[in-house]
Amino acid sequence: MSTGKRLAKRSIIGTRVCVRGDDGIYYSGVINAVKSCTNDSRYSVRFDPTPKAPAPKREYRDVELIGPGFQTMQGIRLLKGQRVYITYNGRETSGEVLHHRQDEDEVLISVNPPGAEVSHISL
């Protein structure tokens, strides 16, 4: 049965993604603009505030993004010092990669104590 209402178009704007920085570390952010060309789309990402986050004005191709509708973490190598979020004791918490053994699909993480996820960055 039809209700006569149209379904809203799904926008990619606002989708949380990760992008590899020049230093090899992945940074999280939100897509805030899309430029579509004939066969190529470019995505502008506004990064979460961190001291090392890449410049927010750079545009990325879809193959450079990790997130819903883009690449997955499958096959990605995490570097020492990479910030990650995991579920630990039933809570999401942040941690830092100490070592990533890709051949064994194992990541050794230093888990931050509860409440340490809040960063004190001046904007």
Side-chain angles (χ1 to χ4, degrees):
M1 175 187 266
S2 175
T3 61
K5 294 182 181 179
R6 289 180 50 192
L7 294 174
K9 291 183 180 179
R10 296 181 190 259
S11 175
I12 198 90
I13 305 235
T15 300
R16 291 202 59 81
V17 294
C18 289
V19 179
R20 185 176 177 192
D22 294 335
D23 57 2
I25 297 212
Y26 288 86
Y27 295 94
S28 61
V30 176
I31 295 175
N32 65 349
V34 179
K35 290 184 182 176
S36 295
C37 297
T38 309
N39 292 332
D40 192 27
S41 292
R42 300 284 176 157
Y43 303 88
S44 177
V45 177
R46 183 184 40 152
F47 292 98
D48 298 340
T50 64
K52 296 181 183 180
K57 296 296 181 187
R58 186 168 166 211
E59 295 176 350
Y60 299 91
R61 295 177 298 134
D62 57 352
V63 295
E64 297 175 286
L65 301 176
I66 296 175
F70 299 102
Q71 288 189 46
T72 64
M73 290 297 296
Q74 185 83 23
I76 300 297
R77 175 142 178 87
L78 299 174
L79 298 179
K80 181 178 180 177
Q82 169 75 57
R83 171 171 255 169
V84 293
Y85 293 91
I86 62 168
T87 302
Y88 179 71
N89 287 338
R91 285 187 51 178
E92 183 178 89
T93 186
S94 65
E96 190 172 293
V97 172
L98 299 175
H99 188 71
H100 183 185
R101 295 183 184 110
Q102 269 188 302
D103 54 332
E104 297 178 20
D105 197 23
E106 181 178 275
V107 181
L108 182 62
I109 299 171
S110 171
V111 177
N112 294 326
E117 295 85 18
V118 178
S119 60
H120 303 286
I121 298 173
S122 301
L123 300 178

